[in-house]
Amino acid sequence: MTAMRRALEFLFSRALRSRLGVAAVIAVLVLGVIGAARLTSGPTDSADGLSNRPNRPITTVDPTAGDDGLTASEAPPSPVTPSGARTPEQVADRFASAWLGRPGMTAEQWQAGLRPMSTPALTEKLAGAEPGGVPAEQVTGPAAVRSRTETFVEVLLPLDTGRLRLELVLADKSWLVDVVDWERQ
C-alpha cells in the first residue's frame, strides 16, 4: 500500500506539475478518445457505408430546359407600355423634375409630387425625406433606358452634380418608380 501511495504522491506532486507530465496526460486522453471512436464506429470501407448510393450524378437542373447561363445571347425585351400610358422615359423625366423640387417647397408638397409616380414601397421609404437633401438642381441630358424585362427598366438621368438611377416597374397599367439611387460624379 505504501508503494501505491508513493506512486500516487509522485504522480500528483511532481509529474503532473511539469509541462511534460501535462502533455503526457493530454496525449493519453486524445488517444483514448480516438481509440474509443474507432471501436464504436461502423465499417472503415467507404463503399460499405452507403447502401443505396446513386449510380450516376444527381442533377438539379433539367438538361432539356435550355441554357441556364447568366449571359443572355439575345437582347432584352423592349418594355411594354399600355396604350394611353406614359413611357418609362416620360415617367422618369417627370419623376426627376419632381424629385429635384423647387426652392421653398415643403416636405409634404415634395412627397405629394412624387407619390403619383412612385410605388407604395418607395413612397414609404421616402416618408421622412426632405427636398433639401436632394444633391442636385437640374437635369443636364436625356434619359438613357436599359430594358431588363418587359415590365422592368432602369433609367439613368444625368444631373448637374451626378447621375440619378431609377428603377421602374409596370404596375396597374402604368410605369412607377420603385428605386431611386444617386451616383455622385
Side-chain angles (χ1 to χ4, degrees), residues 80-87 91 151 169-176:
V80 175
T81 302
S83 61
R86 290 188 177 91
T87 64
V91 173
T151 59
V169 294
L170 185 63
D172 298 328
K173 297 186 180 183
S174 64
W175 287 98
L176 298 175

Side-chain angles (χ1 to χ4, degrees), residues 2 5 8 22 33 42 45 51 53 57 74 91-92 105 118-119 136 140 142 156 159 170 176 185:
T2 59
R5 185 174 181 176
L8 287 174
V22 172
V33 168
D45 185 17
S51 60
R53 110 181 133 219
E74 67 272 352
V91 173
M105 181 180 268
S118 304
T119 61
T140 60
L156 300 171
L159 302 178
L170 185 63
L176 298 175
Q185 288 181 344

Side-chain angles (χ1 to χ4, degrees), residues 10 39 162 165:
F10 174 77
L39 287 174
R165 187 179 68 83

Side-chain angles (χ1 to χ4, degrees), residues 15-28:
L16 290 179
R17 291 189 181 219
S18 70
R19 290 182 188 161
L20 184 61
V22 172
V25 169
I26 291 174
V28 167

Side-chain angles (χ1 to χ4, degrees), residues 72 74-80 88 145-154 175:
E74 67 272 352
S78 297
V80 175
V145 178
R146 293 182 192 166
S147 179
R148 302 297 185 202
T149 67
E150 292 178 347
T151 59
F152 174 69
V153 296
E154 179 181 36
W175 287 98

Side-chain angles (χ1 to χ4, degrees), residues 28-157:
V28 167
L29 287 175
V30 168
L31 292 174
V33 168
I34 291 173
R38 285 200 170 188
L39 287 174
T40 60
S41 68
T44 57
D45 185 17
S46 62
D48 294 338
L50 282 176
S51 60
N52 59 351
R53 110 181 133 219
N55 58 359
R56 57 190 165 128
I58 298 172
T59 59
T60 58
V61 177
D62 182 11
T64 61
D67 184 18
D68 63 344
L70 291 176
T71 55
S73 57
E74 67 272 352
S78 297
V80 175
T81 302
S83 61
R86 290 188 177 91
T87 64
E89 296 90 346
Q90 293 170 331
V91 173
D93 286 335
R94 288 177 51 108
F95 184 89
S97 297
W99 185 70
L100 292 171
R102 61 183 185 280
M105 181 180 268
T106 66
E108 291 80 21
Q109 292 171 332
W110 182 67
Q111 290 171 1
L114 295 174
R115 193 171 296 118
M117 297 167 282
S118 304
T119 61
L122 180 61
T123 301
E124 185 178 318
K125 288 178 185 176
L126 293 175
E130 296 282 334
V134 174
E137 294 181 7
Q138 64 182 351
V139 177
T140 60
V145 178
R146 293 182 192 166
S147 179
R148 302 297 185 202
T149 67
E150 292 178 347
T151 59
F152 174 69
V153 296
E154 179 181 36
V155 179
L156 300 171
L157 287 156

